[in-house]
Every structure is written in structure tokens, then in C-alpha cells.
């Protein structure tokens, strides 16, 4: 297992890809954290794209972050397993200044 953390200062109202699982690997998303750095309430959405099912799965949809607050959607007590080609995006509301951190545990593929 190789840990990897990624961070992004989101471009408002634009889906930002946080991580794409490389070919030959799978990843456990073990942390999703967001921080509203602005002076007004703004919402954030996290979405997992499951390549094997060709489906976008909302993890959180338009969760309102109050001004100068943080939000942790996934932590040490839960996780999402993502397969090669899957990716995670974050989208913040127009006019927002939100930053996000995601941490993954990456492993080689386990194929049957």
C-alpha cells in the first residue's frame, strides 16, 4: 500500500478531477476534506465516476459549507474502493473559494 494525498484550490463552478486511478491499480479513498475559505456560505459536491459501470455516483451533492468552516465527508471509519480508470471530482458553487484534500491508499490490481 502506498499512501497519496492530493489537494486543490477549486475553480468555482467547475468540476475538478482530484485523482484518477492508474491502470493496473486500485485505490481506497480514505479521506475527503473541504475548507470554505470565503466570507459567505457556499456548497460543494464530490462525485465518484465508476468506469466499470459507466456511472457517476454523487458522494455529496451541494453540501453547504458555512463561511470559514471545514467539512470531512470520508475519514478513517469509512472508505470508497476505486478501480483503475475511476476518478473523483469536486465541484464548488459559483463565487466560492473552497480548497479540498483527498487521501488514497494505492495497491496493485487484484484480478480474478
Amino acid at each position: 500500500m502506498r499512501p497519496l494525498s492530493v489537494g486543490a484550490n477549486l475553480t468555482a463552478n467547475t468540476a475538478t478531477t482530484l485523482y484518477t486511478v492508474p491502470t493496473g491499480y486500485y485505490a481506497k479513498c480514505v479521506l475527503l476534506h473541504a475548507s470554505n475559505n470565503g466570507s459567505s456560505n457556499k456548497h460543494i459536491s464530490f462525485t465518484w465516476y465508476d468506469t466499470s459501470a459507466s456511472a457517476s455516483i454523487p458522494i455529496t451533492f451541494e453540501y453547504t459549507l458555512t463561511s470559514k468552516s471545514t467539512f470531512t465527508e470520508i475519514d478513517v471509519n469509512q472508505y470508497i474502493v476505486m478501480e483503475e480508470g475511476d476518478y473523483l471530482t469536486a465541484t464548488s458553487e459559483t463565487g466560492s473559494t473552497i480548497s479540498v484534500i483527498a487521501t488514497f491508499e494505492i495497491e496493485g490490481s487484484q484480478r480474478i
Side-chain angles (χ1 to χ4, degrees):
M1 182 272 304
R2 180 175 63 94
L4 172 72
S5 290
V6 295
N9 294 315
L10 301 181
T11 299
N13 201 34
T14 302
T16 300
T17 300
L18 300 175
Y19 183 70
T20 302
V21 181
T23 301
Y25 293 87
Y26 69 94
K28 286 172 48 177
C29 179
V30 296
L31 175 73
L32 271 180
H33 180 81
S35 174
N36 180 358
N37 307 310
S39 58
S40 60
N41 298 350
K42 296 293 181 180
H43 64 249
I44 186 165
S45 299
F46 288 107
T47 304
W48 162 37
Y49 184 78
D50 182 351
T51 302
S52 66
S54 298
S56 291
I57 317 293
I59 299 167
T60 298
F61 182 73
E62 295 186 356
Y63 178 85
T64 300
L65 279 163
T66 57
S67 170
K68 309 290 185 195
S69 70
T70 61
F71 166 64
T72 301
E73 175 61 11
I74 295 176
D75 62 17
V76 297
N77 298 312
Q78 53 194 346
Y79 58 88
I80 297 170
V81 176
M82 301 167 60
E83 298 175 335
E84 61 184 27
D86 290 2
Y87 57 91
L88 184 69
T89 64
T91 308
S92 61
E93 184 177 357
T94 299
S96 63
T97 51
I98 293 178
S99 55
V100 297
I101 298 170
T103 299
F104 302 88
E105 294 176 354
I106 303 163
E107 298 273 353
S109 263
Q110 304 297 315
R111 297 190 183 263
I112 297 175

